[in-house]
Amino acid sequence: MTREFFADHRRMYLEALGEDAALLFGSTMKVRNSDSEYRYRQDSDVYYLSGWRDPDVAILLRPGHEQPFTLFVQPRNPTVEMWTGRRPGPEGAMAEFGADWALDIDELPLQLPALLQGYANIHYRLG
């Protein structure tokens, strides 16, 4: 699937949001026992809108904003990547996945209030 495939999904979703914003969180890794994890699968809604397959991601969609598609992702970490595989990081989120802006997932609580200024309604999934 191409970047355009996911960009089309985002475009339709952004149109449906109207003047509202949406915040979606991807799946996290689930530990099966003390030293192994379950096989990972990204949440369908996150994958449908972004193509992102890695854990610990948040998507912020803001129609009408100059940066409508923002990704919060895990940063690059060569030591961890040696064991878990390459992470795209914020730079890859923009270059490979078409994000208008991307930040480290740890920045979410600090950046979110300012990023949601001016939006009366925010759509998000409970639980």
Side-chain angles (χ1 to χ4, degrees), residues 102-120:
L103 297 162
D104 184 322
I105 189 72
D106 293 334
E107 291 288 318
L108 182 66
L110 302 171
Q111 298 290 334
L112 195 59
L115 294 173
L116 291 174
Q117 290 274 330
Y119 289 94

Side-chain angles (χ1 to χ4, degrees), residues 52-111:
W52 193 267
R53 294 181 183 263
D54 291 332
D56 301 323
V57 60
I59 298 176
L60 178 60
L61 296 166
R62 300 174 294 167
H65 194 274
E66 63 186 46
Q67 297 169 324
F69 173 40
T70 302
L71 278 173
F72 291 87
V73 302
Q74 291 179 333
R76 298 287 319 268
N77 183 332
T79 304
V80 173
E81 290 176 31
M82 183 170 46
W83 300 103
T84 63
R86 183 185 173 278
R87 293 179 182 171
E91 299 82 15
M94 292 186 290
E96 299 170 35
F97 294 88
D100 299 309
W101 193 33
L103 297 162
D104 184 322
I105 189 72
D106 293 334
E107 291 288 318
L108 182 66
L110 302 171
Q111 298 290 334

